Amino acid sequence: MNDEDPKPGVVIDVTPEQEPAAPPAHDDGGGAPPARSSTRLTLILAGVALLLVVGGIAFGYRYWQALSQDLAAMGARVRTAMSGQQQLQQSLDGTRQALQAQESTLNAQQDVLSKQRLAVDEARNAFQTQEQKLADENLKLEEREAELRAAVADVHRRVGRSGTQWMIAETDYLLRIANHRLILARDTQTARVALELADQRLRDTQDPGWTGVREQIARDIAKLSGFAAPDIAGMSAQLAALIEQVPQLKIDRATVGPERTLPEHAARAPGERSWDTLLDDLWAGFKDSVRIRERDQPVQAMLAPEHQYFLYENLRLNLQGARLALARGDQALFRDNLQSAAASLDSHFAADDATATAVRSAVAKMLAIDIHPQLPDISQSLRTLEVRQKLMRDIVPGDAEVTQ
């Protein structure tokens, strides 16, 4: 709006103001000239008034047009504002609905949060209980650790703190194991391995002072290497095979010794018999009914054919007894059972049978085997080590470490 536009609410009055009546002309001696001047002035004033009226009308028209435009613009702004208000109202409705939905969701979340808070409280209580248990366990572990530390300290005090003394302790342990396995279990293989490990421990010390002990260990290893231990497992398997062959043996003939042929006597004719020949005939008949056999050994009781089963069982029991004695390392019982089996084979089974011959040969070979030979003495290595340790303790008394 420019400066010429009327202000809203201002009323412009375009009515021409009344000119004041002209004062009467003084009559200065001339009558006509003053009247003419008054008419001219009136016309001028009327023209000026007319111009003012026209200007006022033009100005009012322009003001009315501007006002109409302002009103139209204001109406458009009002309509725009109402449209915006409607959209804002719709937006407010949508926001209110969203707020209600969020409020419902918030309520549900609050319920879930309450449940979670209860669960957290329960978990916290359980955690506190578990923490208390862990604290108790930790206290017990600390006590156990203190006990272990005390035990380790005691071991250090007893054995020594240096790595070399630990190796010497291991050597002592290995030598004791070698002696125990050899004496108690007759396990030469384990004893030899233990001696070799003991020698390695002494070698790792890199101390020439243990050379004497290593030399003795080498001698004991040589003793075990030269010791020929009987094959107990192989002999046990061989006895089991012989037991399986017992039913295949053939029993010898059912006589107690070789028969001796009686001297033949001449048959007498009926006419030659007389009282003088009666005694000779009676003696010959007695000899025919009674036979006398000679044996260098006592005669054993003979079994009937239906009792020959006991011969097989007796031989089988002898072989099984030998196998049991072999497992126990009982040399006397092993030899007694094999001798009984050999005697049974010689007495009751055929000598020309190939199976019996093989069994006799196997039994004879086993009789020549010593199943419990004297073991070599390997205790000298342990005694040498103990003497060396005593010497080191005498040199460095107490629990002081020995510099190796």
Side-chain angles (χ1 to χ4, degrees):
M1 182 179 295
N2 51 22
D3 296 337
E4 295 178 357
D5 294 336
K7 302 295 182 180
V10 178
V11 180
I12 301 174
D13 188 8
V14 296
T15 304
E17 296 178 358
Q18 298 291 329
E19 293 289 336
H26 295 280
D27 190 7
D28 55 356
R36 189 179 299 142
S37 298
S38 176
T39 302
R40 187 179 299 162
L41 180 59
T42 301
L43 291 175
I44 293 172
L45 292 174
V48 172
L50 181 61
L51 291 175
L52 290 174
V53 171
V54 172
I57 292 172
F59 178 79
Y61 179 74
R62 291 184 60 186
Y63 178 78
W64 178 78
Q65 286 183 344
L67 184 60
S68 297
Q69 293 176 356
D70 291 339
L71 290 175
M74 187 177 295
R77 286 196 297 271
V78 170
R79 289 192 295 270
T80 304
M82 293 179 64
S83 177
Q85 185 178 4
Q86 292 178 355
Q87 294 178 358
L88 182 60
Q89 185 66 31
Q90 294 177 357
S91 176
L92 288 175
D93 294 338
T95 303
R96 187 180 295 107
Q97 293 177 357
L99 184 61
Q100 292 177 354
Q102 289 180 356
E103 187 177 0
S104 300
T105 304
L106 183 60
N107 292 331
Q109 290 179 353
Q110 287 179 350
D111 295 338
V112 174
L113 184 61
S114 300
K115 295 179 180 179
Q116 290 179 351
R117 187 178 293 108
L118 292 176
V120 167
D121 293 337
E122 294 177 356
R124 184 182 295 109
N125 295 331
F127 179 75
Q128 291 176 353
T129 304
Q130 188 67 23
E131 186 177 5
Q132 184 64 32
K133 292 181 179 179
L134 289 176
D136 297 338
E137 292 293 333
N138 190 20
L139 183 59
K140 293 180 180 178
L141 289 176
E142 289 178 355
E143 294 176 354
R144 181 59 178 169
E145 183 179 2
E147 293 177 359
L148 291 176
R149 289 181 182 276
V152 171
D154 183 67
V155 171
H156 284 179
R157 184 180 60 82
R158 292 174 179 269
V159 180
R161 298 179 179 85
S162 64
T164 301
Q165 289 181 336
W166 279 106
M167 293 179 185
I168 302 305
E170 290 179 1
T171 303
D172 182 87
Y173 176 71
L174 290 171
L175 291 178
R176 293 181 185 277
I177 285 180
N179 283 272
H180 291 172
R181 292 301 300 173
L182 183 63
I183 296 173
L184 300 179
R186 304 181 67 85
D187 187 356
T188 58
Q189 184 65 28
T190 304
R192 180 177 177 179
V193 172
L195 289 177
E196 292 175 352
L197 291 175
D199 183 69
Q200 291 179 5
R201 294 295 184 275
L202 292 179
R203 181 193 63 190
D204 294 338
T205 61
Q206 298 180 357
D207 182 6
W210 302 102
T211 304
V213 181
R214 294 190 63 188
E215 290 177 354
Q216 184 59 44
I217 291 176
R219 285 192 288 268
D220 291 340
I221 292 175
K223 291 179 183 178
L224 290 178
S225 300
F227 176 74
D231 187 8
I232 302 298
M235 295 175 64
S236 178
Q238 188 175 5
L239 285 173
L242 293 179
I243 292 172
E244 293 179 356
Q245 292 179 359
V246 169
Q248 302 176 9
L249 300 177
K250 295 181 181 179
I251 297 178
D252 199 1
R253 56 187 180 143
T255 57
V256 295
E259 295 184 358
R260 184 174 60 183
T261 304
L262 297 176
E264 296 181 359
H265 58 87
R268 299 181 183 273
E272 296 180 354
R273 295 176 180 177
S274 62
W275 289 102
D276 297 332
T277 61
L278 178 61
L279 185 59
D280 294 335
D281 292 338
L282 290 175
W283 179 248
F286 179 76
K287 288 182 178 180
D288 290 338
S289 60
V290 178
R291 295 182 180 180
I292 300 175
R293 299 173 182 175
E294 296 180 357
R295 288 182 59 86
D296 298 334
Q297 298 178 356
V299 178
Q300 297 180 358
M302 297 180 59
L303 294 176
E306 61 271 15
H307 294 161
Q308 294 177 2
Y309 164 78
F310 295 101
L311 294 177
Y312 293 104
E313 288 300 316
N314 187 34
L315 179 59
R316 183 182 290 107
L317 288 176
N318 287 330
L319 294 177
Q320 288 178 350
R323 191 180 183 191
L324 178 61
L326 179 66
R328 295 174 56 184
D330 191 343
Q331 178 68 34
L333 182 61
F334 177 74
R335 186 178 297 276
D336 291 342
N337 280 279
L338 288 182
Q339 289 177 350
S340 298
S344 178
L345 287 170
D346 294 336
S347 302
H348 303 293
F349 295 93
D352 56 351
D353 185 16
T355 303
T357 302
V359 174
R360 288 190 185 93
S361 176
V363 171
K365 290 180 180 179
M366 290 185 186
L367 279 171
I369 298 175
D370 186 5
I371 64 172
H372 199 272
Q374 186 174 0
L375 296 171
D377 184 14
I378 62 172
S379 61
Q380 188 62 33
S381 299
L382 182 59
R383 287 195 292 268
T384 306
L385 179 67
E386 291 176 349
V387 170
R388 173 65 179 174
Q389 286 179 320
K390 183 177 182 301
L391 178 61
M392 298 302 296
R393 285 194 296 268
D394 292 340
I395 295 175
V396 183
D399 295 335
E401 296 182 0
V402 179
T403 303
Q404 301 293 340

